[in-house]
Amino acid sequence: MSNISLIIEERAAKIGNFMVGRLLPFRQKRAVGPFVFIDHMGPVKLNERENFDVLPHPHIGLSTLTYLFDGAIMHRDSIGSEVEIKPGAVNWMTAGKGVVHSERTPEHMRNSTKSLHGLQIWVALPKDLEESEPTFVHIAAEEIPSWEEKGIHYKLLAGEAFGRKSAVPVHSPLYFIEIRNTLTQKISIGDDLFGESALYIFDGSISSEGNMYEPRQILIAKDSKLCEFEMGPNSTVYIFGGEAFPEERFIDWNFVSSRKDRLKQAKEDWTNQRFPKVAGETEFVPYPTLNR
């Protein structure tokens, strides 16, 4: 019997004037453990007149994880953080009761050709932390646990697995793992996983139970303890998941909550500009009229 319960294909979505590949949420699978949203940005080349500019926008009830493969993003938020995100580092912003941030091409790159490629992820907060004070942590690339076993390269970007713990201060039991290889190899890591689990094929291919799977697909496991597959040569996969919350999480635009009335309140607060401001920013993203 197959351990794959669902295959999710990357789907085109638009953020401002920037196209991304949306992976979660999916109509048949709204979350994997606490992970409720994943966008694959790029890869895209931008000329000297093009820049990545996501104007100030709000969040509640979640943590954002930004991880770049190429390029750079200047992160500014209403807590006062101002950090240039570079490849290999992890940006971890916990919105709690409410935060606003902008994401832009850094000033020193704006008038030159540049590229951008990365992942943006939302992790829902436990119910008792949904209204916590917002926080921000930047974890440098060299602080991320990475190791090699039998020619396979591992990185633990967030959470706990393999007897290791990432420096990213997560708020519930989860894992976000990068696995890279050069030669075709079998991977069996089910004993190191827990809760709900999914595998995102970033590069290369994997085979499982006689079936071949290609890049830009997420495979949802029926049982994380049965996680076993073969990686084709020069492949990169991301395995993520963890303990699901007992309560359902609802999403409205950039807001996540266990309560629908809280989403409505957040919408009203943003529409009336009651959220905190980002220093130095005067523009903002309005609540989209298509959202109800």
Side-chain angles (χ1 to χ4, degrees):
M1 183 178 292
S2 173
N3 187 40
I4 297 171
S5 64
L6 181 66
I7 301 169
I8 300 175
E9 301 279 352
E10 195 169 298
R11 305 163 319 280
K14 197 170 186 179
I15 298 181
N17 61 350
F18 196 76
M19 295 302 295
V20 299
R22 178 127 321 145
L23 291 152
L24 278 180
F26 187 62
R27 63 183 179 277
Q28 293 164 269
K29 187 65 177 172
R30 309 303 298 179
V32 177
F35 291 81
V36 295
F37 178 97
I38 301 177
D39 266 358
H40 179 190
M41 305 182 295
V44 65
K45 297 287 186 182
L46 301 171
N47 64 37
E48 61 275 7
R49 296 178 303 279
E50 297 173 314
N51 290 295
F52 179 74
D53 285 307
V54 180
L55 302 180
H57 58 281
H59 292 290
I60 67 163
L62 58 85
S63 294
T64 62
L65 188 158
T66 304
Y67 183 68
L68 296 183
F69 310 113
D70 194 14
I73 295 174
M74 180 59 71
H75 165 100
R76 294 185 179 91
D77 62 41
S78 54
I79 309 167
S81 317
E82 185 171 334
V83 173
E84 183 176 331
I85 313 170
K86 297 180 180 179
V90 171
N91 243 39
W92 180 257
M93 181 182 73
T94 297
K97 65 182 183 181
V99 75
V100 178
H101 73 134
S102 63
E103 299 158 289
R104 298 181 181 271
T105 297
E107 200 61 41
H108 65 89
M109 299 172 67
R110 295 187 73 83
N111 298 314
S112 60
T113 58
K114 77 283 283 179
S115 56
L116 187 63
H117 193 195
L119 295 173
Q120 290 203 311
I121 296 167
W122 296 356
V123 181
L125 290 171
K127 190 173 182 178
D128 63 339
L129 293 177
E130 286 185 317
E131 299 300 321
S132 60
E133 291 294 326
T135 59
F136 174 84
V137 179
H138 180 80
I139 309 297
E142 57 270 20
E143 297 178 63
I144 303 296
S146 60
W147 67 98
E148 182 179 332
E149 287 181 13
K150 300 177 182 177
I152 303 168
H153 300 269
Y154 296 87
K155 273 188 188 177
L156 182 58
L157 297 170
E160 295 187 52
F162 309 108
R164 293 172 166 85
K165 183 176 181 178
S166 171
V168 176
V170 301
H171 303 289
S172 66
L174 61 85
Y175 45 86
F176 181 43
I177 307 158
E178 178 187 272
I179 304 177
R180 293 185 296 110
N181 73 325
T182 303
L183 304 175
T184 299
Q185 281 169 296
K186 188 175 182 180
I187 309 289
S188 182
I189 58 172
D191 288 344
D192 291 289
L193 307 181
F194 55 88
E196 296 183 334
S197 187
L199 182 150
Y200 172 48
I201 306 166
F202 179 75
D203 264 334
S205 64
I206 74 158
S207 58
S208 176
E209 298 160 329
N211 297 306
M212 180 76 74
Y213 301 96
E214 303 293 337
R216 304 205 172 196
Q217 292 182 322
I218 282 182
L219 311 180
I220 308 293
K222 288 180 182 175
D223 183 348
S224 62
K225 295 297 182 187
L226 299 179
C227 188
E228 189 174 279
F229 55 92
E230 185 177 85
M231 293 178 69
N234 301 309
S235 295
T236 303
V237 302
Y238 291 88
I239 295 177
F240 62 93
E243 299 294 349
F245 298 123
E247 322 86 8
E248 183 179 358
R249 288 300 181 276
F250 305 103
I251 300 179
D252 182 353
W253 189 40
N254 297 319
F255 307 130
V256 175
S257 181
S258 59
R259 295 163 36 218
K260 289 185 177 180
D261 64 319
R262 182 66 179 90
L263 298 178
K264 183 180 178 182
Q265 181 64 55
K267 172 190 171 181
E268 292 175 358
D269 287 343
W270 182 247
T271 302
N272 292 289
Q273 286 295 289
R274 292 194 289 258
F275 272 78
K277 309 294 184 186
V278 179
E281 295 275 14
T282 56
E283 301 174 285
F284 63 91
V285 179
Y287 182 87
T289 55
L290 292 178
N291 283 63
R292 294 186 293 275

